[in-house]
Amino acid sequence: MLNLTSLTEQSLLPGTKGLALTAPLLQKDLGAQAWNILNADTSFPVAILKDSALQHNLLWMKAFCASRNIVLAPHGKTTMSPQLFDMQLRNGAWGMTLANVNQMRVAQRFGVKRVIIANQLISKSDIHSALALLAEDAEFTFYAICDSIAGVNMLADAVHEAGLQRPLPLLVELGFAGGRTGCRSRQQALELARHIHRSPYLQLAGVEGYEGLLVGKNREQDLMQVKSFLQDMTTVCQQADREQLFDLPEIVISAGGSAYFDLVGEEFASELKLSRPLLPILRSGCYVTHDHGFYHGLVEEMHGRVADLPAGGLRPALEVWSMVQSRPENDLAILTMGKRDASYDIDLPLPFATHRPGHASAPFALPAGCKIEKMNDQHAYLRLPKDSGLCQTLAVGDLIACGISHPCTTFDKWPLMLVVDDAYRVQSAINTIF
């Protein structure tokens, strides 16, 4: 669906992170090298994606959306990978969500035709760049979000000055007290919707919000707040429809991080009795690779409260493998991995397996109590349980596999990630463009 030729035909040069190249190599020829992570055929650290988990997650989310009669515009800022965008679109995604104009231009360059920008367009140069895309590509459209009359006026003035031949579709953003952006009340959202509707340069397309920040220590209270917030969004939609403020054939309502998309599906599937069809859009992005920590726990909670989710759950696809470079103390191993290589913004990496290159056996699970206790730029401190035989057997040169908690901030550390099969044979690669 997307044009990825410029990526597959590019030459990977010596020094490409994660590869141990001594001469240039066409990216499309990676799979023909017969490299295997377990044989230490790559450089370390190396970030990998397990293809079987990727494919499972893509089909799982497709089935979830179909069961709720909603569409998916996954948040591309998670991976910023054209190859993963392509997989998501081929598996039924309606479009992509991006965080800013530069990300949108990357997506459009590879052929994405429908985008939600989940952020406020404020910079004059960014607005100009975004509107230029609409003028250059008649098949391309994007939905901007807004939460203030000042922001709306800036967009209207820019559309007028650009001489754009089609109005810009906007989504009113609803927020909540103490949250990020977004109108702080339903009344404020409705006033903004009326203001948009009056402009000849803009179109009111729908209502948008983000419930994913409602994660605290009181999980029962979190769920109540999420449900209340989503109900406020549908209430704004209903009132704006009664006032005939919407300007397109369908009414867009969009929310959904990667923590509560079951609740989003439940609320948006309810009967709202609107004058025109409702287009409910889920924006979850992390589902495609999932993780071993933060989102794993939240999706486990989801399975506990929802009986009819698709079978198999989401599977972690993203792993970072590194090598033991030093054993300075009996219960300490220093790894060739650090903050430059793996997420550490929510939890430190989660070590789960080890392997000795050259051994025919599969990787074996690390014992309970193994943990990364801190990281420097290029080093990770793996603490071993003192009563574990690993203190005696783990050696310099052994491989350690780590899962990730919150995948977003690992992807931006890797311009290229290897895609492997279940035996860790390298099949191909994906690129990230941040």
Side-chain angles (χ1 to χ4, degrees):
M1 183 176 291
L2 301 188
N3 185 356
L4 305 174
T5 304
S6 63
L7 299 176
T8 57
E9 295 290 339
Q10 70 178 327
S11 287
L12 302 174
L13 302 178
T16 299
K17 186 176 180 180
L19 303 182
L21 296 176
T22 58
L25 176 69
L26 290 179
Q27 183 165 319
K28 67 179 180 181
D29 293 335
L30 275 169
Q33 307 309 304
W35 290 336
N36 192 304
I37 303 301
L38 302 183
N39 293 337
D41 292 331
T42 65
S43 179
F44 290 91
V46 63
I48 63 97
L49 295 171
K50 296 189 82 170
D51 185 60
S52 61
L54 283 178
Q55 302 309 319
H56 170 84
N57 293 344
L58 288 162
L59 292 174
W60 191 98
M61 185 58 81
K62 183 178 181 179
F64 172 83
C65 290
S67 71
R68 269 60 179 179
N69 197 30
I70 58 179
V71 300
L72 179 68
H75 209 321
K77 60 91 179 174
T78 298
T79 68
M80 281 309 297
S81 169
Q83 290 96 335
L84 292 178
F85 294 177
D86 187 59
M87 292 181 197
Q88 291 169 311
L89 291 166
R90 287 179 184 273
N91 280 274
W94 169 89
M96 296 299 300
T97 300
L98 284 312
N100 55 48
V101 172
N102 289 337
Q103 291 182 4
M104 180 171 72
R105 278 201 164 263
V106 169
Q108 188 270 347
R109 185 166 80 236
F110 287 94
V112 175
K113 292 301 183 184
R114 202 152 40 192
V115 165
I116 294 174
I117 298 184
N119 219 333
Q120 311 286 328
L121 272 179
I122 299 299
S123 161
K124 183 177 181 179
S125 56
D126 284 341
I127 296 171
H128 174 77
S129 177
L131 296 183
L133 273 184
L134 296 180
E136 295 163 9
D137 187 346
E139 296 180 354
F140 179 77
T141 189
F142 75 90
Y143 296 76
I145 68 173
C146 52
D147 69 357
S148 69
I149 288 176
V152 167
N153 288 343
M154 291 173 68
L155 293 172
D157 291 344
V159 172
H160 175 56
E161 292 169 7
L164 199 65
Q165 297 303 302
R166 47 175 164 155
L168 178 64
L170 298 186
L171 303 174
V172 169
E173 182 173 39
L174 188 65
F176 48 86
R180 203 160 51 193
T181 52
C183 299
R184 288 317 200 238
S185 69
R186 291 178 297 186
Q187 185 58 39
Q188 184 185 358
L190 284 166
E191 290 173 0
L192 190 59
R194 296 174 189 124
H195 187 72
I196 294 168
H197 178 67
R198 287 192 291 266
S199 172
Y201 306 109
L202 307 172
Q203 293 174 318
L204 180 63
V207 177
E208 177 272 347
Y210 176 58
E211 79 296 336
L213 296 176
L214 293 167
V215 179
K217 294 181 179 180
N218 187 329
R219 302 300 292 131
E220 184 175 348
Q221 181 177 321
D222 292 343
L223 295 176
M224 292 175 59
Q225 289 179 325
V226 169
K227 291 177 182 178
S228 176
F229 176 65
L230 295 172
Q231 288 165 3
D232 283 345
M233 288 183 63
T234 57
T235 299
V236 171
C237 265
Q238 289 173 310
Q239 181 59 39
D241 183 55
R242 281 193 289 268
E243 297 183 28
Q244 299 183 343
L245 302 179
F246 292 112
D247 300 310
L248 296 173
E250 295 178 309
I251 299 171
V252 171
I253 186 168
S254 178
S258 298
Y260 302 115
F261 54 81
D262 62 315
L263 301 180
V264 173
E266 177 184 337
E267 177 62 28
F268 289 179
S270 59
E271 179 57 54
L272 298 185
K273 297 180 180 178
L274 301 172
S275 67
R276 62 192 73 191
L278 183 70
L279 180 63
I281 302 176
L282 182 67
R283 302 198 308 275
S284 303
C286 293
Y287 80 92
V288 68
T289 63
H290 199 43
D291 71 6
H292 288 77
F294 180 67
Y295 287 117
H296 173 76
L298 291 172
V299 172
E300 285 292 302
E301 285 185 18
M302 189 183 303
H303 279 275
R305 65 179 178 255
V306 182
D308 65 338
L309 291 176
L314 292 172
R315 300 175 185 171
L318 172 60
E319 301 171 4
V320 178
W321 284 71
S322 62
M323 191 170 276
V324 176
Q325 63 171 298
S326 179
R327 292 284 278 109
E329 300 168 18
N330 186 52
D331 63 341
L332 179 65
I334 304 298
L335 310 181
T336 59
M337 174 187 77
K339 295 178 181 179
R340 307 261 181 182
D341 313 302
S343 302
Y344 58 95
D345 56 325
I346 292 181
D347 297 302
L348 288 165
L350 306 166
F352 68 88
T354 185
H355 181 77
R356 184 158 292 168
H359 285 223
S361 60
F364 68 86
L366 290 171
C370 287
K371 64 178 294 186
I372 302 293
E373 61 180 17
K374 65 176 178 177
M375 290 198 298
N376 305 140
D377 279 3
Q378 313 285 175
H379 301 79
Y381 297 66
L382 174 63
R383 188 65 65 179
L384 311 175
K386 292 186 177 181
D387 58 354
S388 167
L390 205 60
C391 289
Q392 284 70 51
T393 60
L394 189 67
V396 170
D398 285 351
L399 299 175
I400 300 292
C402 284
I404 297 301
S405 185
H406 188 217
C408 300
T409 51
T410 292
F411 273 94
D412 62 10
K413 304 178 193 307
W414 293 89
L416 179 137
M417 283 188 179
L418 299 178
V419 178
V420 304
D421 64 15
D422 286 349
Y424 289 95
R425 294 180 290 244
V426 175
Q427 306 293 299
S428 60
I430 63 100
N431 304 92
T432 69
I433 306 174
F434 281 92

